[in-house]
Amino acid sequence: MDGVSRATVREVREETGLEIGLESPFLIYRVRHVPEDGRDRCLHTLWVSFDATYEGGSVRLQTGELRGAAWFPTPPPTLGPWALYRAVDWWDVDPDDPWWNAAEIREP
């Protein structure tokens, strides 16, 4: 996992201008995309999700890489499934809170 960790730190620095520290991965999953047009090809992707700590820098987006970056003091109304998975810990969300039930899960 060391290569993935180094690549993650480097990519975050290059694409956002932030220096981060990483914890161990909390979620690793594989997705297989099969084209619906009958072609004999498929795309395999591996998603590795880490918790990170802010170490320094300021947000400077690399042109053409990201649509945006932001700090969220409270959970946003829409989260990807990997972020929703961690939202309870990040924001101390009570699973009985109305936000949890109303949060929209976006597929990657």
Side-chain angles (χ1 to χ4, degrees):
M1 195 57 63
D2 187 45
V4 173
S5 298
R6 282 194 316 266
T8 300
V9 169
R10 182 189 68 244
E11 288 298 314
V12 169
R13 181 185 323 107
E14 289 174 0
E15 295 183 15
T16 68
L18 300 176
E19 296 294 333
I20 61 167
L22 290 183
E23 303 293 326
S24 296
F26 66 82
L27 182 64
I28 300 173
Y29 64 98
R30 179 179 61 91
V31 178
R32 184 172 179 254
H33 304 275
V34 179
E36 296 180 8
D37 62 5
R39 291 181 294 161
D40 187 25
R41 295 181 179 179
C42 63
L43 173 66
H44 295 267
T45 59
L46 179 67
W47 295 76
V48 181
S49 299
F50 295 92
D51 284 330
T53 55
Y54 171 78
E55 301 290 328
S58 58
V59 175
R60 292 182 324 272
L61 297 183
Q62 182 180 7
T63 305
E65 290 293 325
L66 299 175
R67 289 183 279 169
W71 300 110
F72 294 100
T74 58
T78 304
L79 292 171
W82 53 92
L84 189 60
Y85 176 82
R86 296 299 284 173
V88 171
D89 294 330
W90 287 341
W91 291 290
D92 296 322
V93 175
D94 178 349
D96 294 326
D97 185 294
W99 173 87
W100 183 256
N101 296 316
E104 177 185 335
I105 300 174
R106 281 186 296 115
E107 292 302 320

